[in-house]
Amino acid sequence: MTRHLQVGDHVRWNSEAGYVSGRIIAVHTSDVNDKGFIHHASPDVPQYEIKSDRTDHVAMHKGTALQKIAD
């Protein structure tokens, strides 16, 4: 069973520009429209909304793309 992350968790992910870190600000368990793109989500495979530590950018990723990091 996949361990789900929670709001407030500090995570990182690999982007085109290298690794980015941020905090989860929302967990979506149903499909969500983000900037005109539908991100498919379910209770078993949620989408995580993350605010970057360095900028105000908000990204949306599945848990498989995220790695929890220590504060």
Side-chain angles (χ1 to χ4, degrees), residues 2-47:
T2 303
R3 177 184 60 89
H4 292 294
L5 300 165
Q6 301 175 8
V7 170
D9 283 350
H10 198 210
V11 295
R12 75 177 191 160
W13 65 97
N14 194 7
S15 75
E16 299 85 19
Y19 282 98
V20 180
S21 63
R23 291 217 179 262
I24 296 175
I25 58 173
V27 179
H28 300 277
T29 56
S30 61
D31 292 354
V32 61
N33 185 334
D34 179 47
K35 301 171 191 150
F37 182 78
I38 300 294
H39 292 269
H40 297 287
S42 69
D44 291 330
V45 185
Q47 286 276 350

